[in-house]
Amino acid sequence: QVQLVESGGGLVQAGGSLRLSCAASGRTFSTSAMGWFRQAPGKERAFVAGISWSSGSTYYAGSVKGRFTISRDNARNTVYLQMNSLKPEDTAVYYCAVGNVVRVTPQSYDYWGQGTQVTVSS
């Protein structure tokens, strides 16, 4: 049974930073991909960033490129999302997910965390 537990969300002013964590357990992740998605009220779940667990290759949505950084800690089975220069439009529930390869479609991922709220005030 795969478990993903996100943490690190909260309330921050525009221009501030947050770091989200996603601790994974229950399987070997060396051949997996991890993704971060977000969902704002009334909107569909959208890809934010992804990382290949084995190669470390990273992928970003255009709206966050240059501001967000995804990274992994193999020893801790944990993926991070460092979010800088936050904007009010970044406000959403952020989810991490496990899949076989990094893809932008949520349907490509097999396991999901419970989500963590990020609110950016103007």
Side-chain angles (χ1 to χ4, degrees), residues 8-20 38 64 66-69 81-91 94 118-122:
L11 173 64
V12 64
Q13 287 188 331
S17 299
L18 284 173
R19 189 178 80 155
L20 306 184
R38 66 187 181 186
V64 306
R67 299 189 297 124
F68 291 12
T69 302
L81 186 68
Q82 177 67 43
M83 307 186 295
N84 298 329
S85 302
L86 283 161
K87 304 175 182 180
E89 51 263 44
D90 294 318
T91 295
Y94 284 70
V118 171
T119 303
V120 184
S121 64
S122 57

Side-chain angles (χ1 to χ4, degrees), residues 10 15 21 23 26 28 30 35 37 41 52-53 62-63 68 71 77 80 91 97-98 103 106 108 111 122:
S21 300
T28 300
S30 60
F37 287 77
S52 168
W53 200 271
S63 59
F68 291 12
S71 61
N77 264 5
Y80 303 98
T91 295
V98 173
R103 297 192 190 279
S108 301
Y111 301 96
S122 57

Side-chain angles (χ1 to χ4, degrees), residues 17-79:
S17 299
L18 284 173
R19 189 178 80 155
L20 306 184
S21 300
C22 174
S25 62
R27 62 177 275 185
T28 300
F29 294 95
S30 60
T31 58
S32 298
M34 302 287 289
W36 283 100
F37 287 77
R38 66 187 181 186
Q39 189 166 19
K43 294 189 176 181
E44 294 186 351
R45 194 167 296 190
F47 176 81
V48 174
I51 187 167
S52 168
W53 200 271
S54 57
S55 70
S57 298
T58 57
Y59 309 84
Y60 296 96
S63 59
V64 306
K65 201 166 187 179
R67 299 189 297 124
F68 291 12
T69 302
I70 187 171
S71 61
R72 75 197 192 294
D73 182 331
N74 290 356
R76 296 175 185 268
N77 264 5
T78 300
V79 173

